[in-house]
Amino acid sequence: MIKNSLLALSLLVALFSCKKTEDSTLSTAPAGWEILETPVESSLRGLSPLTSDIAWACGSNGTWMRTIDGGKTWNHGVIAGLDTVDFRSIQAFDALTAIAVSAGQPAVIYKTKDGGKTWELKHQENELAFLDGISFSSANRGFIIGDPNEGKWTILQTANQGNTWYPVDSLPSAVNGEAAFAASATSLLAEGNHLWIGTGGTESNLHYSKDMGASWEKYSSPFIQGESSQGIFSLTSIGEGEIVAVGGDYLNEGMLEGISGIFVTKNKEWVKPQQGPSGYRSGVVYFPRQKWLIAVGPSGSDYSKDSGITWQTISNEGFHAVKMAQADGSVWASGVKGKIAKLKY
């Protein structure tokens, strides 16, 4: 009996120790941002980190950048010589391969397979197109959202890692003056067979497809709307059918009402935060390792540890975009004048 009791006690202590060790890996709050030195002055809105060492970025003046040593050094250049083009979206597949997408004209998609040394044109849209963001649901399948054309959204898809692009089966309708934002290239979210598009302008809606664009549903959002500068700017998933959105009015960065929300897919309804971020936010990402949401904007960054119900300030350091690395627990951000940073925690 004593032997069995000691065994049970030992198992209990072991389980408690494991739980304590697991809990100790979760920081209570982010410790700020580590600003990395980069060799460019471009505004960087395209961001695609792979690990804590490997990350790609792109931006104004045709700029592309890549690090393979955690930001200590950077390779960089101009995509296909297009030094007047703003590349706001990028998707990296490995240290050598990435896709870059322009916003504005020309509306082009380029791919590199040699670490940025050369870029090959893979697709070009018409002269009216404006491409806002990119999202991949798997290693090969990805989607690009563009502003409406003749009352229909522009949505392209690829099934071969960006080598060819074509429209989705059904393009959802847009009201006059409704648009997507390319501030962080994350107003589109692809997850499995599901597509989400957050919009703004005259109306701010959430467009949803459960079958990779074959059919669509639309849900009105509680975000500030009515002007071309207002609405949803970024989406992320926290799992279990909950989508978190951030945005606001980029012409009024200090506005606090109607700048974030949680859409619960089971009930098909919005949950309003008790305390939102501290201003307009252009990017948001879920960091499952710490169970945090991280939101960034020109006036600073915030985090939430309760699925977006309440938010607290991390820093007044401004950024355009925020992304989690695909392969490990690191969060990267990008912004004006070549700014790149990693979250400290």
Side-chain angles (χ1 to χ4, degrees):
M1 179 68 70
I2 293 175
K3 184 177 180 180
N4 290 339
S5 298
L6 288 173
L7 178 60
L9 180 61
S10 298
L11 289 172
L12 184 63
V13 170
L15 288 171
F16 177 77
S17 299
C18 289
K19 182 65 166 63
K20 186 175 181 181
T21 301
E22 181 183 340
D23 289 346
S24 66
T25 65
L26 297 177
S27 304
T28 57
W33 297 95
E34 176 191 2
I35 307 297
L36 306 174
E37 185 175 345
T38 73
V40 304
E41 289 291 317
S42 297
S43 178
L44 303 175
R45 298 181 186 270
L47 179 64
S48 186
L50 292 168
T51 70
S52 58
D53 289 323
I54 304 171
W56 292 72
C58 63
S60 59
N61 308 120
T63 299
W64 69 270
M65 291 174 48
R66 182 198 66 160
T67 182
I68 57 174
D69 56 12
K72 296 182 180 68
T73 61
W74 295 86
N75 304 111
H76 66 99
V78 176
I79 296 172
L82 299 173
D83 59 2
T84 62
V85 176
D86 194 354
F87 283 89
R88 294 192 177 191
S89 304
I90 193 165
Q91 174 73 24
F93 301 103
D94 54 49
L96 296 176
T97 313
I99 291 168
V101 184
S102 71
Q105 288 295 319
V108 289
I109 304 171
Y110 276 84
K111 185 173 183 178
T112 180
K113 295 188 286 186
D114 55 12
K117 294 177 183 177
T118 61
W119 294 83
E120 182 181 355
L121 178 65
K122 293 298 182 180
H123 186 82
Q124 181 164 355
E125 279 291 293
N126 62 52
E127 65 277 4
L128 300 176
F130 190 101
L131 303 178
D132 298 287
I134 190 169
S135 183
F136 270 68
S137 58
S138 68
N140 292 314
R141 183 169 290 278
F143 301 85
I144 290 173
I145 179 67
D147 280 347
N149 183 14
E150 296 183 351
K152 296 286 187 179
W153 288 98
T154 300
I155 307 174
L156 303 174
Q157 64 176 319
T158 181
N160 56 12
Q161 211 172 80
N163 289 317
T164 57
W165 294 87
Y166 53 97
V168 298
D169 293 340
S170 175
L171 296 173
S173 298
V175 301
N176 187 35
E178 186 182 10
F181 292 106
S184 64
T186 53
S187 57
L188 167 68
L189 173 64
E191 186 179 53
N193 292 330
H194 304 275
L195 295 178
W196 305 88
I197 303 169
T199 71
T202 53
E203 287 188 9
S204 177
N205 297 303
L206 192 62
H207 297 266
Y208 167 62
S209 174
K210 62 184 178 182
D211 45 25
M212 291 190 293
S215 62
W216 291 89
E217 303 169 22
K218 184 174 77 169
Y219 302 95
S220 298
S221 92
F223 278 61
I224 182 172
Q225 55 196 276
E227 300 293 336
S228 61
S229 57
Q230 300 172 343
I232 296 172
F233 281 71
S234 182
L235 301 171
T236 193
S237 170
I238 58 176
E240 298 182 356
E242 294 187 1
I243 304 298
V244 174
V246 301
D249 186 340
Y250 71 77
L251 296 179
N252 187 355
E253 296 177 2
M255 182 175 293
L256 299 178
E257 291 298 320
I259 64 171
S260 69
I262 308 117
F263 186 78
V264 182
T265 60
K266 295 175 184 177
N267 303 328
K268 297 183 178 179
E269 64 181 16
W270 288 91
V271 176
K272 184 179 179 181
Q274 296 175 7
Q275 178 181 334
S278 51
Y280 154 71
R281 294 294 177 254
S282 54
V284 65
V285 71
Y286 181 55
F287 188 25
R289 180 171 180 172
Q290 297 294 127
K291 299 181 180 179
W292 293 335
L293 285 160
I294 308 293
V296 303
S299 65
S301 55
D302 309 272
Y303 80 103
S304 172
K305 55 184 179 181
D306 55 12
S307 302
I309 299 299
T310 60
W311 295 81
Q312 300 176 58
T313 299
I314 299 173
S315 166
N316 292 326
E317 194 76 47
F319 299 99
H320 292 317
V322 61
K323 292 285 187 71
M324 187 186 74
Q326 298 176 30
D328 65 11
S330 59
V331 175
W332 297 63
S334 63
V336 298
K337 295 183 179 179
K339 186 189 295 185
I340 299 281
K342 289 199 284 188
L343 188 71
K344 297 189 293 185
Y345 61 96

